[in-house]
């Protein structure tokens, strides 16, 4: 059976338009969260991470697209174009495409939108990306709340193992819109300061926007320096509540155990955990309980939400990519915003960026509807 790899990748974010721009800032513990005062999004000011739309337009112009695209489509196409170019893969019937997002082009429903409301359908987002690059097979559009990004990597792995494709390109993205901001605000979950995952003084989440892309492939001949092998993955639903996780962490425990079983490794072999860490009371507590049940309470752990905010359906892929670069650099990135432990169980929060030899990391994600996904990745020795 072929080994499956995550290889070339790209991040379009407020840090810039490539992965290195984000990784370098994270290594220096610099957040991209800023105070936003935009009455069109929300009456009160809020912290967020927003892509520079003027620079996005400039970058997108270089692609010479003949079609009209939404902001999210531009972000996704720009991100994926750099991955396809770096991979040197010619798009054929053996090339797959996965789009992961929670809300897609939800902004076309806003009053000032110049786009047809029909673009709100996720299938239309998939068609726009497919058409631009000329993918021959219909894209798979994945929308499973906030596990979508990391779940996409496990689905890509399965598609390749089933010999449906040789390579699968994934592009994930979500925007900060009136819909998403007002939605989380209605839960009283938005923080009026930069978020502090797992901290005693945390006051909620920040919402951010990115587009992230990656190549999943069985071809070992042309891998990126930061490439990793997918050792195992698992998904479980705790069926607890539409927006609240299981208090026992049951779904997360089951998904991690499933990933460990497929990877055929012990929990003690995980070098670090890239956790979900939204900085909400229920999520952070649930994760702390779950990692203690898994006997991973001493494993170094971080949340990247203090850098980007919560980027919804893109967060899992975004954070997987940062994890790949973390392993390549043998560097543990600080869990930004953490001060004093604010969960009932002890977990090993990475308080400052530090050098460490890394081989295997675990990425977890949890989302609305009780979904939980875990994936285990191993560094590729070139």
């Amino acid at each position: 059976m072929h080994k499956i790899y995550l290889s070339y990748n790209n991040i379009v974010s407020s840090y810039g338009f490539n992965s290195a721009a984000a990784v370098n800032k994270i290594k220096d513990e610099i957040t991209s969260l800023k105070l936003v005062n935009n009455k069109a999004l929300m009456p009160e000011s809020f912290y967020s991470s927003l892509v520079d739309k003027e620079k996005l337009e400039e970058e997108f112009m270089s692609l010479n697209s003949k079609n009209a695209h939404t902001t999210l489509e531009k972000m996704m196409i720009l991100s994926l174009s750099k991955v396809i170019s770096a991979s040197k893969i010619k798009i054929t019937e053996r090339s797959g495409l996965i789009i992961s997002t929670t809300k897609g082009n939800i902004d076309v429903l806003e009053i000032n939108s110049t786009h047809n409301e029909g673009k709100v359908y996720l299938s239309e987002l998939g068609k726009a990306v497919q058409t631009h690059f000329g993918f021959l097979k219909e894209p798979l559009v994945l929308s499973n709340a906030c596990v979508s990004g990391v779940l996409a990597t496990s689905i890509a792995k399965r598609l390749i193992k089933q010999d449906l494709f040789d390579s699968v390109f994934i592009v994930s993205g979500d925007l900060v819109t009136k819909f998403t901001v007002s939605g989380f605000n209605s839960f009283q979950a938005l923080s009026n300061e930069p978020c502090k995952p797992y901290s005693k003084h945390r006051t909620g989440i920040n919402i951010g926007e990115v587009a992230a892309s990656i190549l999943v492939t069985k071809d070992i001949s042309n891998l990126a320096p930061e490439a990793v092998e997918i050792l195992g993955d698992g998904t479980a639903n705790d069926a607890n509540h539409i927006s609240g996780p299981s208090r026992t962490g049951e779904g997360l425990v089951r998904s991690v155990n499933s990933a460990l079983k497929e990877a055929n490794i012990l929990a003690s072999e995980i070098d670090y955990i890239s956790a979900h860490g939204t900085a909400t009371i229920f999520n952070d507590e649930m994760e702390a309980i779950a990692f203690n049940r898994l006997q991973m309470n001493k494993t170094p752990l971080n949340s990247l939400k203090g850098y980007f905010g919560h980027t919804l359906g893109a967060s899992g892929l975004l954070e997987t990519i940062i994890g790949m670069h973390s392993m390549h650099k043998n560097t543990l990135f600080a869990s930004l915003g953490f001060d004093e432990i604010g969960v009932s169980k002890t977990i090993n929060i990475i308080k400052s960026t530090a050098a460490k030899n890394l081989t295997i990391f675990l990425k977890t994600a949890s989302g609305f509807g009780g979904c939980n996904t875990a994936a285990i990745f191993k560094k590729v020795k070139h």
Side-chain angles (χ1 to χ4, degrees):
M1 187 67 71
H2 291 290
K3 292 183 177 181
I4 310 299
Y5 306 95
L6 268 62
S7 184
Y8 293 100
N9 54 86
N10 178 270
I11 298 169
V12 169
S13 70
S14 56
Y15 286 121
F17 298 102
N18 55 66
S19 298
V23 171
N24 290 337
K25 293 293 186 181
I26 291 170
K27 189 176 180 181
D28 292 335
E29 300 182 23
I30 298 173
T31 185
S32 68
L33 293 169
K34 295 181 180 179
L35 189 63
V36 175
N37 185 12
N38 185 339
K39 296 295 191 294
L41 292 175
M42 200 169 80
E44 300 83 22
S45 298
F46 63 100
Y47 275 87
S48 184
S49 176
L50 303 176
V51 172
D52 187 319
K53 302 308 188 295
E54 289 187 8
K55 290 183 179 178
L56 175 65
E57 291 295 330
E58 292 175 9
E59 288 276 336
F60 189 77
M61 287 284 286
S62 65
L63 299 181
N64 297 315
S65 176
K66 297 179 181 178
N67 297 321
H69 290 288
T70 65
T71 298
L72 181 59
E73 289 167 4
K74 290 175 182 176
M75 288 167 57
M76 285 185 160
I77 290 170
L78 180 62
S79 178
L80 185 55
S81 67
K82 297 184 178 183
V83 173
I84 293 175
S85 176
S87 72
K88 297 181 172 60
I89 290 177
K90 182 179 179 181
I91 303 300
T92 68
E93 290 189 352
R94 300 290 296 175
S95 307
L97 173 63
I98 296 177
I99 311 289
S100 73
T101 184
T102 55
K103 295 304 175 188
N105 288 318
I106 193 68
D107 58 320
V108 302
L109 297 181
E110 295 178 4
I111 295 174
N112 61 348
S113 174
T114 59
H115 295 280
N116 188 298
E117 289 187 358
K119 275 187 169 288
V120 76
Y121 293 106
L122 298 183
S123 59
E124 292 300 309
L125 174 61
K127 287 177 184 177
V129 178
Q130 176 191 12
T131 300
H132 179 87
F133 294 105
F135 279 90
L136 302 178
K137 295 289 185 70
E138 184 176 352
L140 174 63
V141 181
L142 177 62
S143 183
N144 189 12
C146 300
V147 308
S148 300
V150 67
L151 181 60
T153 64
S154 65
I155 291 177
K157 181 198 75 173
R158 283 165 169 72
L159 293 174
I160 295 172
K161 283 187 177 289
Q162 291 168 6
D163 198 34
L164 296 174
F165 299 105
D166 294 324
S167 298
V168 176
F169 291 94
I170 303 171
V171 58
S172 300
D174 266 305
L175 295 176
V176 173
T177 66
K178 184 176 182 179
F179 183 93
T180 54
V181 172
S182 61
F184 279 96
N185 192 46
S186 70
F187 286 125
Q188 298 182 336
L190 284 185
S191 175
N192 60 358
E193 58 185 25
C195 64
K196 299 178 178 180
Y198 310 109
S199 293
K200 181 178 181 179
H201 306 292
R202 67 191 185 278
T203 56
I205 68 173
N206 308 132
I207 301 298
E209 60 185 19
V210 301
S213 302
I214 202 160
L215 167 66
V216 183
T217 182
K218 65 181 182 182
D219 184 5
I220 197 171
S221 65
N222 179 30
L223 295 177
E226 66 275 11
V228 295
E229 178 189 351
I230 311 176
L231 295 183
D233 60 85
T235 295
N237 195 302
D238 57 45
N240 178 72
H241 186 268
I242 191 170
S243 63
S246 164
R247 301 296 191 270
T248 65
E250 185 63 27
L252 183 55
V253 169
R254 292 190 184 198
S255 65
V256 173
N257 277 330
S258 179
L260 288 168
K261 182 178 180 180
E262 183 184 5
N264 194 27
I265 64 171
L266 301 174
S268 59
E269 295 178 71
I270 301 292
D271 291 313
Y272 95 94
I273 304 167
S274 175
H276 195 52
T278 61
T280 56
I281 294 174
F282 293 136
N283 175 86
D284 292 7
E285 176 70 7
M286 176 276 289
E287 287 188 283
I289 292 170
F291 291 130
N292 272 264
R293 288 180 60 188
L294 291 159
Q295 297 184 320
M296 302 177 78
N297 53 301
K298 294 183 179 179
T299 307
L301 172 152
N302 69 9
S303 165
L304 296 169
K305 302 297 191 292
Y307 298 96
F308 299 94
H310 192 348
T311 56
L312 307 181
S315 61
L317 184 61
L318 165 71
E319 292 161 9
T320 297
I321 292 171
I322 299 298
M324 292 166 59
H325 285 272
S326 175
M327 292 238 293
H328 177 60
K329 292 178 177 294
N330 285 311
T331 302
L332 291 173
F333 296 139
S335 193
L336 201 63
F338 179 77
D339 45 30
E340 181 181 354
I341 193 73
V343 290
S344 65
K345 302 293 184 180
T346 302
I347 48 178
N348 186 11
I349 304 294
I350 303 168
K351 299 177 180 65
S352 58
T353 298
K356 182 183 179 182
N357 288 327
L358 301 171
T359 302
I360 299 174
F361 85 97
L362 166 69
K363 175 70 198 120
T364 65
S366 302
F368 283 1
C371 49
N372 299 270
T373 296
I376 298 171
F377 304 98
K378 182 178 181 179
K379 181 189 297 183
V380 174
K381 293 183 179 180
H382 293 275

